[in-house]
Amino acid sequence: MGKYSGNPAAAAALFEGHQVHRDVYIDPEVFRLEMKHVFANAWVFVGHASQTPQKGDYFATSIGDQPVIQVRHSTGDIHVLYNRCPHKGTKIVIDRQGNTGKFFRCPYHAWSFKTDGCLLAIPLKKGYADTGLDQTESARGMKAVGAVRNYRGFIFARLADEGISFEDFFGDSLSSLDNMVDRSPAGRLEVAGPPLRYMHHCNWKMLVENQTDTCHPMVAHESSAGTAVKLYEELNLPEDAPKPPAMEIIAPFMSPYEFFENMGIRTWPNGHGHTGVNHSIHSNYSRIPGYFEKMVESYGEEKAKAILDENRHNTVYFPNIMIKGPIQQLRIFIPLAANKTLVESYIYRLVDAPDELTARTAMYNRMINAPTSIVGHDDLEMYERAQEGLEADGLEWVNIQRLRTGEEDFSEEVVENGTTERQMRNQFDAWARFMTWDTPAREAAE
């Protein structure tokens, strides 16, 4: 038994406002506590409704370390069930997605369940007569998670039966999701193919922090984006020459500190926040012919302009996703161990918008986030160096103090300099609170 085993309060104390202890990233017991408490008490992204469009369609994924199934029920509603038979614990599905028809059938003993999880049938059921099975949890079927919310096609779940409401958890941060969906003339998104999947040998929180770290692009990406910019400039093209889409995507990574300072960072309660309050690396992409006209037809010119003028860079939704509204991308950072994280990068199609928009988003995903990308390897090397470096005994604390001038209140929306580390501190404030959300000590205090 280690010093954090079964003690979420001790783990939560590893955040001290301006610094976090290295055990937050490297200790397996802290990781297990995160899975049990943070990922149970927070609202966690599961999948998109377009991944399960027909009745009986399912999508298998995980919330923290818990295997779950997103499934479209016969009523058309989407349910999220634990991927576990209530009989012997066997996983019900092992395919990533498919269609189960009108019911799930366990591959071990053929217990079957409706697509809302309710027990449907048991072979040789007479063998359970007078055993009291009907009084057990097993008789209720596959267990559903504590709560589910479909927000404009994005499916979120809370594992805990009781806890913070969806509205209180997200609050005004949902404006980033709204903007992402509203960029479709039809007000709808669809997942465009399977995600790019990329294994990282580092702690999941390193990736989440990096989404609002604006002091690293011009340093870490100099070898990739910097080289691309240098080679392009050597072509000596006329100033009014159209810039290739690939250069529009990669060149802004080499923007100076002043660009990112003026960009601004907004933080919301419960660990959510975004870069790109005033502008972002996506602000100057070329217009796609016909797109604005479609938006005006749907929303009117004033609203269409307001939607498209919003160029938020990275919006982090605590605990483990990031979205890019201007290019319809979502990245989920799936924790596998204290030093192992799987990243899945999805892109979405704007329904009724020109296909060129999807093509540009796919190019961005390939160039920046793929295992074969140009830019992503720079970040990966930094994460893995940090994971290895944190094992060194010279220092035990990680500094996240940039632009912190005193005690901070994370209960209100705040906009600050675009190079602040406030959003990292905001995430750890939420991490510490949700780590102890369901503990007796917290309940007594409230």
Side-chain angles (χ1 to χ4, degrees):
M1 299 286 286
K3 54 185 174 180
Y4 306 115
S5 182
N7 192 348
L14 296 172
F15 169 57
E16 292 190 347
H18 68 290
Q19 61 183 4
V20 290
H21 195 273
R22 65 174 181 171
D23 285 353
V24 163
Y25 303 96
I26 67 176
D27 192 284
E29 291 179 358
V30 173
F31 178 82
R32 285 191 288 270
L33 288 169
E34 291 174 333
M35 298 304 103
K36 184 177 180 180
H37 297 280
V38 174
F39 278 84
N41 293 316
W43 283 84
V44 181
F45 175 73
V46 180
H48 193 264
S50 64
Q51 293 172 279
T52 51
Q54 305 298 324
K55 295 175 182 179
D57 283 350
Y58 66 83
F59 170 68
T61 183
S62 62
I63 297 176
D65 61 355
Q66 298 298 300
V68 297
I69 306 170
Q70 172 186 311
V71 58
R72 180 82 65 170
H73 186 43
S74 58
T75 59
D77 297 332
I78 289 177
H79 292 252
V80 181
L81 311 171
Y82 285 93
N83 189 359
R84 178 198 188 281
C85 179
H87 179 211
K88 293 288 188 177
T90 310
K91 271 191 171 182
I92 296 295
V93 301
I94 57 171
D95 294 333
R96 190 69 196 273
Q97 60 189 116
N99 186 287
T100 193
K102 295 183 178 180
F103 60 90
F104 288 111
R105 180 178 181 272
C106 179
Y108 196 3
H109 295 96
W111 283 34
S112 58
F113 312 90
K114 297 178 183 179
T115 48
D116 63 356
C118 292
L119 182 64
L120 182 62
I122 300 175
L124 294 174
K125 190 175 182 180
K126 61 184 179 181
Y128 290 98
D130 301 321
T131 66
L133 173 67
D134 58 342
Q135 303 300 314
T136 68
E137 287 192 358
S138 296
R140 299 173 191 164
M142 296 171 64
K143 183 175 175 57
V145 300
V148 177
R149 179 68 179 272
N150 181 343
Y151 186 80
R152 303 196 70 178
F154 291 86
I155 311 301
F156 293 87
R158 189 191 66 220
L159 293 180
D161 291 332
E162 302 292 336
I164 189 170
S165 70
F166 179 86
E167 290 76 15
D168 287 343
F169 182 73
F170 285 107
D172 291 339
S173 73
L174 292 170
S175 58
S176 285
L177 271 179
D178 288 335
N179 180 260
M180 184 168 166
V181 178
D182 288 345
R183 286 171 175 269
S184 158
R188 288 189 295 115
L189 303 179
E190 295 177 345
V191 169
L196 296 177
R197 310 179 85 210
Y198 193 1
M199 189 66 74
H200 290 61
H201 294 283
C202 66
N203 188 271
W204 64 277
K205 295 183 293 299
M206 290 181 180
L207 288 115
V208 181
E209 290 174 50
N210 190 65
Q211 304 312 301
T212 54
D213 184 327
T214 56
C215 288
H216 82 275
M218 67 295 296
V219 181
H221 301 309
E222 184 176 5
S223 61
S224 56
T227 300
V229 170
K230 181 179 179 181
L231 292 174
Y232 182 72
E233 290 175 346
E234 288 176 355
L235 296 176
N236 292 317
L237 298 175
E239 288 188 9
D240 59 350
K243 187 176 289 187
M247 285 307 302
E248 287 189 337
I249 287 170
I250 201 168
F253 281 82
M254 292 309 297
S255 299
Y257 288 117
E258 291 76 15
F259 175 90
F260 290 101
E261 285 188 308
N262 295 329
M263 175 189 285
I265 287 180
R266 176 181 281 115
T267 58
W268 292 287
N270 298 319
H272 317 304
H274 77 90
T275 51
V277 177
N278 303 310
H279 58 255
S280 78
I281 65 171
H282 311 297
S283 295
N284 295 319
Y285 289 170
S286 299
R287 290 186 59 178
I288 300 296
Y291 176 43
F292 183 69
E293 289 73 16
K294 279 181 171 279
M295 290 289 287
V296 170
E297 186 178 338
S298 295
Y299 297 105
E301 185 169 353
E302 184 177 354
K303 185 174 181 180
K305 190 174 186 304
I307 291 169
L308 298 180
D309 281 350
E310 188 69 65
N311 275 293
R312 299 181 183 186
H313 183 187
N314 294 343
T315 296
V316 169
Y317 285 116
F318 180 83
N320 68 324
I321 65 167
M322 180 275 285
I323 68 164
K324 283 180 175 287
I327 59 168
Q328 299 79 56
Q329 182 193 55
L330 181 148
R331 301 181 76 201
I332 181 167
F333 311 108
I334 302 171
L336 301 179
N339 61 354
K340 193 174 184 181
T341 306
L342 177 64
V343 183
E344 293 187 339
S345 299
Y346 288 89
I347 62 170
Y348 296 82
R349 184 176 72 86
L350 298 170
V351 176
D352 288 348
D355 291 338
E356 290 89 342
L357 284 162
T358 308
R360 181 162 64 193
T361 298
M363 177 184 288
Y364 183 99
N365 211 24
R366 292 193 304 271
M367 289 181 63
I368 311 302
N369 300 318
T372 54
S373 71
I374 298 173
V375 172
H377 292 76
D378 301 331
D379 292 321
L380 175 65
E381 182 176 350
M382 295 304 106
Y383 303 143
E384 294 187 349
R385 285 193 187 192
Q387 193 71 34
E388 294 172 5
L390 288 172
E391 296 287 350
D393 293 331
L395 294 169
E396 293 189 359
W397 293 87
V398 174
N399 188 281
I400 51 173
Q401 202 165 357
R402 182 171 173 77
L403 293 176
R404 181 180 188 265
T405 57
E407 293 299 317
E408 293 176 299
D409 180 4
F410 297 107
S411 65
E412 299 293 336
E413 177 182 324
V414 172
V415 174
E416 292 190 1
N417 181 297
T419 62
T420 182
E421 291 176 337
R422 177 184 168 89
Q423 171 55 15
M424 300 175 197
R425 300 188 291 270
N426 185 36
Q427 289 162 199
F428 275 109
D429 175 76
W431 178 88
R433 285 188 294 108
F434 285 99
M435 181 74 87
T436 57
W437 191 273
D438 51 1
T439 63
R442 178 186 175 88
E443 293 168 3
E446 293 179 345

